[in-house]
Amino acid sequence: MFLIPVGQKIFLSYIHSLERTPVQDVFLLQGGQIWLYEERVKSHNAGLPAFDQYPGSLVKTEDWLIFRGGRRHWMNIRCRVGNAAIGKNILTIGKTNHELYYRYPEQPVCLFVVLKSIL
């Protein structure tokens, strides 16, 4: 369990299984759900976004293609965790990296929100 303040961005980074390219998903926690704020990719071939996600935008930087918006949200997200050779899934909360591929190699994990008071 991770204590994450509402509105805090969390990052899920991994190496795409087909393209072998870095991907970074940026999520916000709001209203008991996980909202995809943006998805950053290095390429846009098989299995990766290739166009703006309505309503949203595409921003191209020197390092990333960034798909922002789209209003996609979920109650939970199931992830296949890879290992040190394939996947390298890292969950970043604030300034702390949680190497999921090291802690849970080749296991599924589920990210979900539980609203709790910190008092």
Side-chain angles (χ1 to χ4, degrees), residues 12-71:
L12 183 60
S13 305
Y14 54 94
I15 304 299
H16 191 271
S17 61
L18 292 175
E19 287 297 307
R20 305 280 193 246
T21 187
V23 176
Q24 189 173 70
D25 293 329
V26 182
F27 299 100
L28 290 171
L29 308 178
Q30 289 290 338
Q33 296 187 327
I34 303 169
W35 290 77
L36 180 61
Y37 174 69
E38 66 184 31
E39 186 168 34
R40 303 170 184 171
V41 298
K42 297 280 185 178
S43 69
H44 56 85
N45 293 319
L48 293 169
F51 53 87
D52 291 0
Q53 298 176 18
Y54 179 80
S57 62
L58 169 63
V59 177
K60 185 176 181 190
T61 69
E62 187 174 318
D63 297 322
W64 297 99
L65 294 171
I66 302 172
F67 297 88
R68 189 171 290 146
R71 298 185 182 158

Side-chain angles (χ1 to χ4, degrees), residues 39-104:
E39 186 168 34
R40 303 170 184 171
V41 298
K42 297 280 185 178
S43 69
H44 56 85
N45 293 319
L48 293 169
F51 53 87
D52 291 0
Q53 298 176 18
Y54 179 80
S57 62
L58 169 63
V59 177
K60 185 176 181 190
T61 69
E62 187 174 318
D63 297 322
W64 297 99
L65 294 171
I66 302 172
F67 297 88
R68 189 171 290 146
R71 298 185 182 158
R72 295 188 296 168
H73 59 282
W74 305 270
M75 295 296 290
N76 61 64
I77 297 174
R78 295 189 178 278
C79 303
R80 281 185 311 162
V81 175
N83 53 41
I86 299 172
K88 291 194 178 182
N89 309 69
I90 298 172
L91 180 66
T92 303
I93 302 167
K95 294 181 181 181
T96 305
N97 291 329
H98 301 276
E99 295 174 329
L100 301 179
Y101 70 93
Y102 179 75
R103 292 175 69 179
Y104 311 103

